[in-house]
Structures are given as C-alpha cells and as structure tokens.
Amino acid sequence: ATGLGHSQFRLRLHGDICRIELGQEDLPLFWDQREEAHTRLAALGFPYITLDLAGLQSGSFDRL
C-alpha cells in the first residue's frame, strides 16, 4: 500500500500529470488524505495531480 491505507490503487503518468485511481470504496478515505498525497507526489516532481472520479479501472491507461 501507499502508507495511506489503500490496498488497491494505481498512478497513471501523463507527462507532468499524475492521475490517481482508487477503488470506489477508498474514495471517501482518500478525500481526507488529499493534502498529504499532494505533498508526497509534488515532492516527486508532479506539478499536476488529479483524482480519477471513475475509480480504479483495469486497462484504462490510455483514456486521457
């Protein structure tokens, strides 16, 4: 897991955009952790960080 307590997640990279995909059940928990997630990902060099509201979807890497 990420250290934030999520068991299923995926980060999709689109240039300088980092798109977070989580299972639907994790979306409410993540909302409370959004600032910490932003801080961690921004420290890795991502100026744009998004949350995919459709949730975790296998094989969706080319949807953006």
Side-chain angles (χ1 to χ4, degrees), residues 2 4 6 14 24 26 28-29 31 36 44 50 62-63:
T2 65
L4 296 177
H6 304 284
H14 306 278
Q24 290 292 327
D26 284 335
L29 172 63
W31 189 251
E36 182 178 356
L44 294 174
T50 66
D62 57 356
R63 288 190 299 126

Side-chain angles (χ1 to χ4, degrees), residues 2 4 8-10 15 18 28-29 31 34-36 38 45 48-49 52 56 59 64:
T2 65
L4 296 177
Q8 291 190 330
F9 66 95
R10 187 168 281 132
C18 179
L29 172 63
W31 189 251
R34 68 191 181 278
E35 290 180 21
E36 182 178 356
H38 182 271
Y48 305 105
I49 302 157
D52 190 326
L56 182 65
L64 189 68

Side-chain angles (χ1 to χ4, degrees), residues 3-4 7 16 21 26 28-31 40 51 53 55 57:
L4 296 177
S7 59
D16 58 359
E21 293 182 5
D26 284 335
L29 172 63
F30 180 80
W31 189 251
R40 290 182 181 193
L51 176 62
L53 297 179
Q57 298 184 19

